Amino acid sequence: MMKETDICPRFEKAISILSQRWTALLIHQLLTGQKRFGSIKTSVGISGKVLSERLKEMEKQGIIKRKVIPETPVIIEYSLTEKGISLEPVLREVEKWSQEWISADET
Amino acid sequence: MMKETDICPRFEKAISILSQRWTALLIHQLLTGQKRFGSIKTSVGISGKVLSERLKEMEKQGIIKRKVIPETPVIIEYSLTEKGISLEPVLREVEKWSQEWISADET
DNA sequence: TCAATAAGTTACTTTATGTAACCAAGTATA
DNA sequence: TATACTTGGTTACATAAAGTAACTTATTGA
């Protein structure tokens, strides 16, 4: 049988990035400014292991950048790249949708 | 330590729905009209097992509806509810972003 | 010397997803 | 009459992803 609707590969890739667990939430946090590992971990509630994995993936995808500050102990600042910042409209639409369609008792 | 940015529970719930694997792609498919189980399965490339799980979850979340047509063999039509349709702007933004930021060689 | 800190990593457990075979009911085919 | 085909699933089993908690490295202050 043939596929009746061919999905655009760019769109499919975008969805695969954004529907990776935690990724959208991490971008959302970084939209408020650069953040450190421990701060992200605490505010998002993700495990160190998966956070570390995600940050590496997102860096490879060009969505975030990692800045090492050689203090003691070392400080690492994570921030969005231009590509990452450009996801803001997507998250804004999710936010709008959630305000309109998610009721208090289903949170 | 305190959370420095509290995440809105509605937004968090919306993200948890949309970042569930396959869900966004299923909504995208259904935005082109009602579809049957087998047709979704083929066009999206999802396993029958997980498709069945997702459709049940999405029905419970009020995003899709299920219509039984007692022909032989039985036909089941899946379509978006108003709540589901209202996710179109979200997916449109993802589509726009993907056109601008996903290069051909990373697909 | 001991404790503390930041950013991870490691070993191990639990959960989610993929695969392929199977099922029921009805119908057309041989 | 028996067999095969169809749809929309389900089941058992295998693999991949995520969660948990303890541990690591380097440095500094008590």
Side-chain angles (χ1 to χ4, degrees):
Chain A
M1 197 200 236
M2 267 232 117
K3 286 196 183 190
E4 32 244 72
T5 316
D6 263 311
I7 302 165
C8 165
R10 284 179 218 258
F11 176 70
E12 209 166 358
K13 176 71 183 175
I15 290 290
S16 91
I17 291 172
L18 293 171
S19 74
Q20 179 83 295
R21 196 166 195 180
W22 298 112
T23 299
L25 235 38
L26 296 178
I27 295 166
H28 182 249
Q29 283 300 299
L30 290 175
L31 277 168
T32 67
Q34 60 173 24
K35 294 230 155 19
R36 296 163 60 177
F37 191 91
S39 146
I40 298 172
K41 188 166 177 288
T42 310
S43 65
V44 173
I46 186 178
S47 73
K49 180 201 167 197
V50 178
L51 177 55
S52 167
E53 286 173 12
R54 280 302 168 282
L55 291 171
K56 281 179 192 158
E57 291 164 8
M58 291 166 76
E59 199 187 354
K60 206 168 288 177
Q61 289 158 344
I63 289 171
I64 62 168
K65 47 180 182 287
R66 182 177 187 273
K67 190 169 95 194
V68 180
I69 301 166
E71 309 236 333
T72 291
V74 69
I75 288 178
I76 316 283
E77 294 279 12
Y78 289 98
S79 57
L80 293 174
T81 60
E82 202 193 340
K83 183 175 179 181
I85 293 170
S86 68
L87 280 164
E88 211 207 312
V90 173
L91 294 180
R92 220 183 13 238
E93 284 297 335
V94 174
E95 205 148 34
K96 272 166 59 183
W97 182 80
S98 73
Q99 298 309 311
E100 194 169 349
W101 291 97
I102 303 291
S103 66
D105 60 278
E106 60 184 310
T107 58
Chain B
M1 200 200 234
M2 266 233 120
K3 287 196 182 188
E4 32 245 73
T5 315
D6 263 311
I7 301 163
C8 165
R10 283 178 219 258
F11 175 71
E12 208 165 359
K13 175 72 183 176
I15 290 290
S16 91
I17 291 172
L18 293 171
S19 73
Q20 178 83 294
R21 194 166 197 181
W22 299 113
T23 300
L25 236 38
L26 296 178
I27 295 166
H28 182 249
Q29 284 299 298
L30 290 174
L31 277 168
T32 68
Q34 57 173 26
K35 296 233 155 12
R36 295 165 60 177
F37 190 92
S39 148
I40 298 171
K41 188 167 177 289
T42 309
S43 64
V44 173
I46 185 177
S47 72
K49 181 200 165 196
V50 178
L51 176 55
S52 168
E53 285 174 11
R54 279 301 168 283
L55 291 172
K56 280 178 194 161
E57 289 163 8
M58 293 166 77
E59 200 188 352
K60 207 167 287 179
Q61 290 159 344
I63 288 171
I64 61 168
K65 45 181 185 283
R66 184 177 185 271
K67 189 167 94 192
V68 180
I69 299 166
E71 307 236 333
T72 290
V74 69
I75 289 177
I76 315 282
E77 295 280 16
Y78 289 98
S79 57
L80 293 175
T81 59
E82 203 193 337
K83 182 175 179 180
I85 293 170
S86 67
L87 280 164
E88 212 207 312
V90 173
L91 294 180
R92 222 182 13 240
E93 285 297 336
V94 174
E95 205 148 33
K96 273 167 58 183
W97 182 79
S98 73
Q99 297 310 310
E100 195 170 348
W101 292 96
I102 303 292
S103 67
D105 61 277
E106 58 183 313
T107 59

